[in-house]
Amino acid sequence: MTAMGVVLAISAALLTAAAVLLVVRMTVGPTILDRSTALDVLMSVMVCAVALKSIQRAETWSLPMLLVLAMVGFVGAVSIARFASDTEDVDTREDDDEDIEGEEQ
C-alpha cells in the first residue's frame, strides 16, 4: 500500500467514526440546536467523503456535486437556525418601537 493509500484509509476511518458519533448526537441530542448542528457537520463529513473518493480515483466529475452538497448544508443550517430563533425581523422591529415609545413617556 502506498503512502497515499495509507492517508486515504486513515482519513476514511476518521470520517466514518465522525459520522457514527454525529448520528448518535442527532438521535440523542436534547435540543433542536444540537440536532441541527450535528446535521450540519454531517453534511460537511459527506462533502469530505466525496472529496476523498474523487481524490482516490483521480476524477473531477464530482466537483459540482461537492458544491451542491455544500450549498444544501449551508441553506439547511440557516433555515434551521431561522426556525429555531422563533422571531421574525418584523416582530423584532415592532417590539423595539414599543420599547422606545414606552421609555419616552
Side-chain angles (χ1 to χ4, degrees):
M1 185 180 274
T2 65
M4 184 66 149
V6 171
V7 170
L8 288 173
I10 291 171
S11 299
L14 290 174
L15 286 174
T16 302
V20 168
L21 291 173
L22 287 167
V23 168
V24 168
R25 173 51 61 193
M26 282 182 1
T27 57
V28 174
T31 65
I32 187 77
L33 294 176
D34 289 334
R35 291 184 174 110
S36 69
T37 302
L39 185 62
D40 187 37
V41 177
L42 187 61
M43 286 296 292
S44 298
V45 168
M46 287 175 48
V47 168
C48 291
V50 172
L52 277 178
K53 193 65 169 175
S54 79
I55 289 170
Q56 179 189 17
R57 294 186 177 192
E59 298 173 343
T60 58
W61 63 266
S62 63
L63 293 178
M65 185 172 58
L66 291 173
L67 182 63
V68 169
L69 279 173
M71 287 177 12
V72 166
F74 174 74
V75 170
V78 169
S79 299
I80 292 173
R82 180 76 181 196
F83 172 74
S85 70
D86 273 340
T87 60
E88 294 181 8
D89 293 338
V90 175
D91 293 339
T92 304
R93 276 187 262 139
E94 289 175 1
D95 291 342
D96 289 342
D97 292 340
E98 290 173 4
D99 290 340
I100 292 171
E101 291 172 4
E103 291 174 2
E104 290 175 0
Q105 295 176 354

